[in-house]
Amino acid sequence: MLMMTNDKKVAIVTGSSSGIGNAIVLELARNNFITYGTMRNLDKISDLKTIADQENLKIYFKQLDVTDDNSVKNAINSIVEETGRIDVLVNNAGYGLVGAFEDLSLDEVQKQFETNVFGVIRVTQAVLPTMRKQESGIIVNISSGAGRFGYPTASAYVSSKFALEGLTESMSYEIEPFGIRTVLIEPGVIKTNFFNSMSLARKSKDPDSPYLQMMQVMEKSVTKMLEKGTIPQYVAKTVLEAVTSKNPKLRYLVGKDVEQWIENKKKMSDEEFHDMMALLG
Ligand SMILES: NC(=O)c1ccc[n+]([C@@H]2O[C@H](COP(=O)([O-])OP(=O)(O)OC[C@H]3O[C@@H](n4cnc5c(N)ncnc54)[C@H](OP(=O)(O)O)[C@@H]3O)[C@@H](O)[C@H]2O)c1
């Protein structure tokens, strides 16, 4: 073991080169966690590294592409070699694929799941043996309001987050007896690069797509929602609350918008909720 952790907890965050992941790394490091900011491209560490140096924060960096078996294995093994333990894993890396269902190619949907679902499985399975041996730990999966309800032109992204919800909920029963907790963070619209980095289905770019008008309406509606979006630091604060809680909840909503959607979903019949969402597209 290379590092004395002195009872400090060790946290790993995936996809920390920007947005929510970046904010979570800073929040955990500022609250005494030895924090590993992992990212697929280490050329992007500069922002975090500058702040870490200025504030003397214990942030370490590792290359980790959630879609690459070797990259995941190497990163997790080297963290365990350095610290001997892992207390927190935040599965944050993800992106959105946009396009009407009929316009999606199977390849595009598979890539979406490769990152948002199989990426989480890959990293979590690499971390669990260490948490199980130490009989403690917490897995935090960054889901979305899109893990609780569907909406137009996002069936690939929504289904990846629904899969994440089912995976997390089921896994919790199995790993709780070993002292490991699981948490789902469900943000609403958060002001990050997410919307600029979205992948647009190739067929959606075709001006003859029968769904062109629906795509344009949705784009406008998302731009409007973004104006009222929540800053990523709120998501980070919620993650801190969950990982420092003695008894973390399974689900945490982040943002007034998603709180309102879920409130509506509880109050409305499926048909009423469907009619309200249909107005968006
Ligand atoms: N923004 C929102 O409104 C919102 C709402 C609900 C949930 N979420 C979820 O929050 C998470 C973070 O998104 P964000 O809003 O912070 O967007 P973001 O700023 O685009 O950040 C996404 C991060 O994921 C990383 N990533 C993508 N593919 C990866 C891979 N294969 N391996 C490792 N890292 C990878 C990106 O790395 P690169 O820099 O290399 O691309 C980037 O660091 C996602 O899971 C997203 O679904 C976002």
Side-chain angles (χ1 to χ4, degrees):
M1 205 184 310
L2 302 175
M3 193 188 293
M4 293 296 290
T5 54
N6 288 334
D7 293 336
K8 282 194 176 178
K9 294 199 163 172
V10 175
I12 302 175
V13 182
T14 66
S16 62
S17 62
S18 67
I20 294 173
N22 195 293
I24 295 171
V25 167
L26 286 175
E27 188 69 22
L28 294 179
R30 284 172 178 148
N31 286 279
N32 242 358
F33 285 83
I34 293 171
T35 310
Y36 282 85
T38 71
M39 54 192 84
R40 58 181 164 178
N41 178 2
L42 282 177
D43 292 343
K44 294 192 179 176
I45 63 171
S46 66
D47 284 0
L48 263 182
K49 174 112 186 59
T50 308
I51 302 175
D53 290 346
Q54 279 166 353
E55 297 184 27
N56 201 16
L57 299 173
K58 293 222 176 318
I59 300 179
Y60 303 90
F61 299 97
K62 295 281 176 200
Q63 193 279 340
L64 192 161
D65 180 337
V66 301
T67 65
D68 179 336
D69 283 344
N70 282 331
S71 161
V72 170
K73 236 183 256 166
N74 291 340
I76 302 304
N77 286 348
S78 76
I79 293 170
V80 174
E81 272 168 30
E82 284 166 21
T83 63
R85 59 182 303 112
I86 302 170
D87 299 286
V88 177
L89 168 65
V90 184
N91 285 307
N92 164 75
Y95 74 94
L97 169 63
V98 213
F101 175 74
E102 196 184 339
D103 281 344
L104 301 173
S105 73
L106 198 54
D107 183 50
E108 287 166 330
V109 181
Q110 280 167 341
K111 282 202 175 103
Q112 174 75 107
F113 273 66
E114 192 54 59
T115 299
N116 292 13
V117 182
F118 300 124
V120 174
I121 295 175
R122 206 173 268 116
V123 183
T124 307
Q125 287 189 339
V127 159
L128 276 179
T130 301
M131 290 188 171
R132 198 166 33 72
K133 271 183 221 140
Q134 71 197 22
E135 296 183 340
S136 66
I138 181 162
I139 310 283
V140 179
N141 289 337
I142 307 297
S143 175
S144 170
R148 301 282 293 279
F149 50 82
Y151 53 93
T153 71
S155 58
Y157 179 68
V158 165
S159 55
S160 76
K161 294 296 187 184
F162 266 59
L164 184 60
E165 295 263 334
L167 186 86
T168 311
E169 205 172 304
S170 304
M171 193 171 73
S172 70
Y173 296 105
E174 301 163 5
I175 61 180
E176 254 172 40
F178 295 99
I180 308 164
R181 303 301 295 258
T182 42
V183 164
L184 283 157
I185 305 287
E186 300 170 331
V189 175
I190 310 293
K191 293 179 174 178
T192 65
N193 289 338
F194 183 80
F195 298 92
N196 293 329
S197 319
M198 273 180 158
S199 170
L200 179 63
R202 197 175 42 82
K203 270 200 197 162
S204 289
K205 295 173 194 157
D206 184 341
D208 291 332
S209 163
Y211 302 97
L212 191 68
Q213 202 202 343
M214 187 181 282
M215 291 290 292
Q216 288 165 344
V217 173
M218 273 310 286
E219 197 182 337
K220 275 195 194 134
S221 153
V222 169
T223 310
K224 236 181 170 175
M225 284 190 245
L226 247 179
E227 285 166 17
K228 291 192 185 155
T230 308
I231 54 170
Q233 285 75 14
Y234 278 107
V235 185
K237 286 198 184 307
T238 308
V239 170
L240 179 71
E241 182 192 331
V243 302
T244 52
S245 164
K246 275 212 175 91
N247 200 12
K249 296 190 292 181
L250 177 62
R251 290 190 168 85
Y252 292 80
L253 298 170
V254 190
K256 292 267 169 278
D257 51 359
V258 74
E259 284 171 10
Q260 188 62 58
W261 294 119
I262 296 296
E263 187 62 32
N264 287 342
K265 194 155 171 58
K266 279 184 191 153
K267 280 196 307 219
M268 292 175 174
S269 66
D270 282 349
E271 292 70 28
E272 286 166 337
F273 192 79
H274 174 273
D275 290 349
M276 181 191 73
M277 288 311 238
L279 292 175
L280 286 178

